[in-house]
Amino acid sequence: MQISVVIPLLNEEQSLAELYHWIAKVMRSNSFSYEIIFIDDGSTDGSWNTIAAIADKDKAVKGIKFNRNYGKSQALHAGFLKAEGDVVITMDADLQDNPDEIPELYKMITHEQYQLVSGWKKKRYDSVIAKNLPSKLFNAAARKTSGLKLHDFNCGLKAYTKAVVKNIDVYGEMHRYIPVLAKNAGFYRITEKEVKHQARKYGKTKFGPERFIFGFLDLLTIWFLSKFGRRPMHLFGSLGVLMFIIGFFTAGFVGFSKLFKMYHNEPNILVALNPWFYIALTVMIIGSQLFLAGFVGELILRSKRDKERYLITKTTENY
């Protein structure tokens, strides 16, 4: 199979049929072998009924339904597990991503040997204040932190080799940083393609301004995980030992100063009344706690086990 199109969605009943026909038209006109995987992330409208009806008529369409809303990352994770195509295309279900971009994205993966191609919506039809400006700041921070020179990390329209989607773990809210996850997993042939952005035709956006706050927090998380995720002791242990040494020598200096002044009969105070003594003890305790945190982190890393992160209640008969 050449292409798997993975589409996470939440309450997009009105756009699904139009999106399906558009994708199918593009695929058939280019003679692609393909599958379309819709992941219903706990919709409360008639999205699942629409997916099931389409799947009954077209065996290339497959559907997965979650029992509740788990988030876009979990939906992508489920879709990536099921995808069978040599090239995997992701897009949103709100018709803001243009399926006409698929052939060129496919060509960039198969002919130009890129492992990941991220869409870049250079011209956007979103609110400048509510979405465009925060998005620019967010992407600038992501570029600086990750080293990837992409303009739009969070664009839903992306293309991947099968190897990429099978070897990255998209969890939490990390769908915003799939290019960074891919880079950390050893996939370095990453580029971007300018794609068309269309104004939302039906419904309303599912994301509020809080997504940018969460996005920056996730950016810090992924930076930490990329640097120290597999060796937490290197960070916590190093800081812990450093702070313990500083506290130890500070306490030693306080004790030496006390003895020196006693020997020379100089005015002195009790060690227990010296504020530097308590500062030294505090630093030593914090250092010990950081060291233990790194040690516990190493134990957790070595003993963690995979577990279900979402509950699938239904799939179409094609699965």
Side-chain angles (χ1 to χ4, degrees):
M1 185 182 295
Q2 292 173 292
I3 299 177
S4 293
V5 183
V6 176
I7 306 174
L9 63 105
L10 175 65
N11 296 331
E12 299 289 358
E13 176 186 8
Q14 292 175 296
S15 64
L16 291 177
E18 184 175 342
L19 178 61
Y20 157 70
H21 288 296
W22 194 353
I23 295 173
K25 178 182 177 182
V26 171
M27 295 298 185
R28 291 164 185 164
S29 64
N30 288 272
S31 300
F32 289 134
S33 58
Y34 70 96
E35 64 179 355
I36 304 173
I37 306 173
F38 289 104
I39 304 95
D40 184 349
D41 186 22
S43 294
T44 56
D45 63 359
S47 294
W48 178 251
N49 293 333
T50 302
I51 293 169
I54 295 172
D56 285 341
K57 297 178 181 178
D58 187 348
K59 298 304 178 184
V61 176
K62 303 172 183 179
I64 299 171
K65 179 176 175 56
F66 290 172
N67 70 315
R68 64 172 178 83
N69 178 237
Y70 287 95
K72 188 175 181 179
S73 292
Q74 311 305 325
L76 287 173
H77 181 270
F80 288 165
L81 286 178
K82 296 291 187 180
E84 298 177 1
D86 296 326
V87 175
V88 177
I89 307 285
T90 60
M91 63 172 53
D92 294 333
D94 55 12
L95 295 175
Q96 290 189 287
D97 294 332
N98 192 327
D100 290 332
E101 304 283 355
I102 291 176
E104 185 61 28
L105 290 171
Y106 177 79
K107 180 181 178 182
M108 293 179 73
I109 295 291
T110 56
H111 290 71
E112 299 179 34
Q113 303 300 308
Y114 286 108
Q115 295 168 311
L116 190 157
V117 181
S118 181
W120 172 24
K121 296 175 181 176
K122 187 174 182 179
K123 183 178 180 181
R124 301 182 66 98
Y125 293 94
D126 297 318
S127 167
V128 174
I129 301 299
K131 296 192 72 173
N132 285 8
L133 182 58
S135 181
K136 289 181 182 295
L137 295 173
F138 163 80
N139 285 305
R143 283 194 297 273
K144 185 69 174 179
T145 304
S146 68
L148 288 172
K149 305 304 180 184
L150 301 179
H151 290 86
D152 192 356
F153 282 79
N154 198 29
C155 178
L157 186 58
K158 290 183 174 68
Y160 317 80
T161 63
K162 188 176 184 178
V164 171
V165 301
K166 299 299 183 183
N167 288 282
I168 60 173
D169 186 14
V170 187
Y171 61 94
E173 292 295 322
M174 293 302 176
H175 60 272
R176 301 180 181 95
Y177 303 107
I178 289 181
V180 183
L181 295 175
K183 178 186 176 184
N184 292 343
F187 300 99
Y188 300 109
R189 291 194 55 78
I190 299 173
T191 189
E192 66 183 0
K193 177 186 181 300
E194 187 175 335
V195 296
K196 296 178 182 177
H197 181 231
Q198 302 177 140
R200 174 178 276 274
K201 191 172 182 179
Y202 304 106
K204 59 182 180 179
T205 182
K206 310 302 186 299
F207 301 100
E210 70 277 0
R211 73 180 181 135
F212 295 104
I213 299 174
F214 298 151
F216 282 113
L217 294 176
D218 289 336
L219 183 61
L220 293 176
T221 299
I222 203 168
W223 172 83
F224 171 79
L225 292 176
S226 65
K227 296 290 185 181
F228 305 105
R230 296 185 179 180
R231 50 187 192 279
M233 181 58 87
H234 286 200
L235 175 65
F236 294 108
S238 299
L239 287 175
V241 170
L242 177 63
M243 292 190 70
F244 186 88
I245 291 174
I246 292 173
F248 180 82
F249 279 104
T250 302
F253 176 79
V254 171
F256 174 79
S257 176
K258 170 73 173 179
L259 293 174
F260 180 84
K261 291 181 178 180
M262 286 179 61
Y263 181 78
H264 290 86
N265 293 319
E266 296 180 7
N268 199 4
I269 61 174
L270 294 174
V271 170
L273 297 179
N274 191 330
W276 282 104
F277 175 72
Y278 294 101
I279 293 173
L281 283 181
T282 301
V283 171
M284 291 172 67
I285 292 171
I286 293 175
S288 299
Q289 290 177 331
L290 286 172
F291 183 86
L292 288 174
F295 182 71
V296 171
E298 292 283 346
L299 291 177
I300 293 173
L301 195 63
R302 283 162 173 72
S303 62
K304 70 176 183 178
R305 295 290 184 269
D306 293 334
K307 62 180 182 179
E308 293 185 359
R309 302 186 305 193
Y310 43 80
L311 176 61
I312 296 174
T313 56
K314 295 179 183 177
T315 62
T316 55
E317 291 183 3
N318 300 346
Y319 275 132

